[in-house]
Amino acid sequence: MSRPEVELDVLLQIDFRVSIASGNNEPHLVLRAQESSLELGNPYHAYILVPRPGMDDLCIMRFVGMASPSGMICSALPPEGLVADQAYRLTFSVQGDQPVQLDGLLEVFDGAAFEEVASVSWFDDDAGLLISDPGFYGFSGGTGAAQLVNYRFDNFAAQFER
C-alpha cells in the first residue's frame, strides 16, 4: 500500500470513543505532517488538534521538528473531559500557506446528533515557523500501550480543496 499524496488544504474528521476516562486521553488529528515526521522516533513537524482532558483544553499545536510545540492556541473543555464509552467527533481543517488558517472542533453525540463541546481557531502568521508546505495527514491516539488499546476510531474522512 502506498502513502497518500501530500495535501495543502484539508478537512479531516474522525469519530472516536475512549474505553477508560483518563486525563491522559489525547486522540489527535494531524495535518501538514512533513516527511521527516513519518520516521519512527522522529518528532512531529506538523499541526495537530488534540483534546487534553488532563489540562481541560482543546488545542491546535504547531510542531516544527521538536518534541514540544513551537506554538499553540487552546480553548476550554468541560471539567468532565472525555467520558468513557461516549461517542465523540474531532474535525480539523487547514487552509492557506502564508498565513495559515486552522480550525478545530470537538463534538459529542447526545443520542440524536453531534453537539459542540469546544472549538478553537488559529490564524498562524508567524512567517518563521508556520508550516506552509503541503503535508501528510492522519490521526493518532498517542504512543503508550494503555492509550493504544483505549481508543475506538471510526468514520475517518478527509476532504481536499484542489
Side-chain angles (χ1 to χ4, degrees):
M1 183 169 142
S2 64
R3 288 186 176 154
E5 293 187 29
V6 295
E7 298 289 341
L8 184 66
D9 295 338
V10 182
L11 180 133
L12 295 182
Q13 193 168 69
I14 195 164
D15 297 345
F16 71 94
R17 292 175 187 261
V18 295
S19 300
I20 301 166
S22 166
N24 294 324
N25 287 331
E26 294 187 356
H28 50 277
L29 291 173
V30 181
L31 288 170
R32 292 198 181 166
Q34 301 304 294
E35 188 147 4
S36 62
S37 298
L38 305 179
E39 298 298 323
L40 188 61
N42 283 359
Y44 279 142
H45 190 131
Y47 290 108
I48 71 167
L49 172 69
V50 57
R52 302 184 318 166
M55 304 293 278
D56 296 326
D57 56 21
L58 174 70
C59 297
I60 296 173
M61 298 178 178
R62 179 197 333 109
F63 289 84
V64 288
M66 297 178 279
S68 57
S70 62
M72 76 172 132
I73 188 164
C74 303
S75 64
L77 280 180
E80 67 270 12
L82 300 176
V83 177
D85 294 318
Q86 180 67 54
Y88 291 94
R89 174 175 288 160
L90 275 176
T91 304
F92 190 25
S93 68
V94 60
Q95 291 185 323
D97 61 356
Q98 293 189 28
V100 177
Q101 177 65 47
L102 301 127
D103 295 293
L105 176 66
L106 175 66
E107 298 172 287
V108 64
F109 190 70
D110 69 4
F114 279 96
E115 299 283 332
E116 183 175 321
V117 172
S119 65
V120 61
S121 292
W122 186 10
F123 189 74
D124 188 3
D125 61 354
D126 186 331
L129 294 172
L130 62 79
I131 302 170
S132 60
D133 293 330
F136 297 96
Y137 56 89
F139 62 91
S140 176
T143 57
Q147 283 75 29
L148 293 176
V149 298
N150 192 29
Y151 301 109
R152 293 185 312 234
F153 292 109
D154 197 9
N155 300 325
F156 179 69
Q159 297 175 358
F160 316 105
E161 270 191 38
R162 294 183 176 160

